[in-house]
Amino acid sequence: MSKLESQDILCYIDSLLKYSNYSKAAQSLYISQPYLTKVIKKVESQLNCELITRSRLPYRLTEQGKIYYQYLTSLEHSYAKLVREISYVSDIGSRILRIGILPSLGSYLTPLFLPDFLKLHPAYKINLVEDIPEKNEKRLQNHELDFWIGQNSSSISPNLNSVSWGRHRYRAVIPRCSELYRNNAAVIPEGTFDISTILRQKLILTSKGSAIRKQIDQLLSVYKIQPSIVMESNEIRTVLKLAKHNMGVTIVPESVHIDECASEYNIYPIPIDKMSLDYFIAHHGERKLSGDDHDLIHTFLNHGQQCAV
């Protein structure tokens, strides 16, 4: 079994145990439910046993499943050790920082602080690992990353230490098809609408499992709203383009640039007390921070303090 396969299967099992539902687990992993079912059945067929009890909730590992899970975990630790040892030999005389980040977030955040860090430490090489949060968090826990940059630090594992920029706002994009659209208004003043009014529109949303979607789903639950979701996408820029092209209202973080176009859509800043996010940089709790590490964190925070509400 390859490293990629073992890591993926471990993530799949973790998600199934977390959600006790194949559809929800697949959505959190950004894969299809049939594919997830096929992978688990294939492994169970190869091992000639059931890995997870699915006859009652919540899902639990069978005794055979516990042995297999321990095996996968040992592979993760062994591979992480291998990577560290090879990196140590390969990087003698050079310095490398491995940073995990969501691709859409990286295009906004990294230009703000990495150039300043590299001015202080020009000998460093930065390896960006652009992937979904679940996988980068797992890499950080396995010491395959030095740092992980994400949003909404309250949801990360307790064995990771993080520092945050502070709260930042979201903005709604309201196209002409919405009853809330106002002619020739590039930006509608904050406080004009209640958040529940926004959520009752036809919506274009990011897929379940994303940081934005978790907050939106929580608000839908609080206001007891059955949403009208026209379309979902894993990519934030896709939902933005669809909203701009009059398919429905969407909500995006301020990190995503939006050109003003009053004739096609309005931009509405959502009150930060209703919905907000915080950008964070995290490291493993066992990592002993060097002076260079502190410089990286400082340059990250320096720009965050300038931008935070």
Side-chain angles (χ1 to χ4, degrees):
M1 181 185 297
S2 70
K3 168 65 176 61
L4 179 60
E5 289 175 340
S6 66
Q7 184 182 59
D8 285 347
I9 293 172
L10 191 57
C11 287
Y12 296 170
I13 293 175
D14 283 339
S15 292
L16 283 170
L17 295 177
K18 178 179 180 180
Y19 293 103
S20 294
N21 181 285
Y22 270 78
S23 294
K24 290 181 179 179
Q27 288 174 341
S28 74
L29 294 162
Y30 301 95
I31 60 175
S32 69
Q33 181 268 321
Y35 177 75
L36 176 60
T37 302
K38 179 181 177 181
V39 171
I40 297 300
K41 284 185 176 180
K42 179 180 178 181
V43 174
E44 289 182 329
S45 175
Q46 290 173 341
L47 296 175
N48 194 29
C49 69
E50 186 179 62
L51 297 176
I52 300 171
T53 57
R54 299 182 279 275
S55 57
R56 61 182 183 276
L57 299 178
Y59 287 177
R60 291 286 185 267
L61 290 172
T62 63
E63 292 303 312
Q64 297 94 326
K66 290 177 183 177
I67 295 172
Y68 182 64
Y69 189 90
Q70 185 177 12
Y71 164 74
L72 291 178
T73 303
S74 67
L75 283 182
E76 288 285 289
H77 292 317
S78 297
Y79 186 81
K81 181 181 178 183
L82 172 67
V83 169
R84 289 197 301 273
E85 290 176 352
I86 290 177
S87 295
Y88 176 78
V89 173
S90 302
D91 299 339
I92 292 175
S94 64
R95 289 177 285 183
I96 296 176
L97 276 178
R98 302 160 299 170
I99 301 174
I101 196 166
L102 187 68
S104 59
L105 196 58
S107 63
Y108 166 63
L109 289 182
T110 54
L112 297 180
F113 73 96
L114 280 183
D116 287 348
F117 173 75
L118 292 173
K119 286 179 183 177
L120 293 173
H121 303 284
Y124 267 96
K125 176 183 177 182
I126 306 296
N127 281 353
L128 282 182
V129 180
E130 297 182 295
D131 208 338
I132 61 174
E134 288 86 351
K135 289 190 176 181
N136 273 333
E137 182 172 6
K138 181 75 73 174
R139 290 187 182 102
L140 188 61
Q141 289 175 326
N142 290 336
H143 304 280
E144 296 172 36
L145 291 175
D146 300 304
F147 291 94
W148 169 40
I149 295 172
Q151 50 196 14
N152 296 327
S153 58
S154 61
S155 63
I156 69 174
S157 301
N159 66 328
L160 305 180
N161 295 338
S162 68
V163 290
S164 168
W165 270 19
R167 295 200 299 171
H168 291 251
R169 69 172 68 252
Y170 286 98
R171 293 180 292 178
V173 177
I174 303 173
R176 289 179 288 104
C177 66
S178 170
E179 63 184 9
L180 303 180
Y181 172 75
R182 296 189 174 183
N183 288 322
N184 300 317
V187 180
I188 298 177
E190 178 183 334
T192 302
F193 306 122
D194 187 79
I195 186 66
S196 62
T197 304
I198 299 288
L199 295 174
R200 287 188 173 93
Q201 304 302 302
K202 290 183 178 180
L203 300 174
I204 308 290
L205 298 178
T206 54
S207 302
K208 281 186 175 293
S210 69
I212 302 173
R213 184 61 182 273
K214 287 178 182 178
Q215 292 193 59
I216 291 175
D217 285 348
Q218 183 178 12
L219 287 170
L220 291 169
S221 176
V222 168
Y223 289 102
K224 296 180 172 58
I225 296 172
Q226 183 64 40
S228 173
I229 301 174
V230 178
M231 191 169 178
E232 299 177 338
S233 172
N234 293 337
E235 176 52 56
I236 188 67
R237 300 190 187 281
T238 300
V239 302
L240 176 58
K241 287 182 179 179
L242 291 173
K244 286 181 175 181
H245 283 80
N246 207 35
M247 282 191 64
V249 173
T250 195
I251 296 174
V252 298
E254 62 182 356
S255 61
V256 178
H257 176 73
I258 308 173
D259 292 317
E260 294 183 3
C261 185
S263 63
E264 297 296 326
Y265 53 83
N266 310 136
I267 300 171
Y268 175 66
I270 296 174
I272 204 163
D273 62 329
K274 296 297 183 182
M275 189 176 179
S276 65
L277 73 162
D278 67 304
Y279 300 114
F280 67 84
I281 185 168
H283 60 87
H284 199 287
E286 296 175 357
R287 182 183 179 90
K288 185 177 180 180
L289 296 180
S290 67
D292 295 353
D293 290 340
H294 283 294
D295 284 342
L296 178 71
I297 293 171
H298 175 74
T299 53
F300 175 83
L301 288 178
N302 184 49
H303 283 281
Q305 290 165 357
Q306 296 172 19
C307 302
V309 175

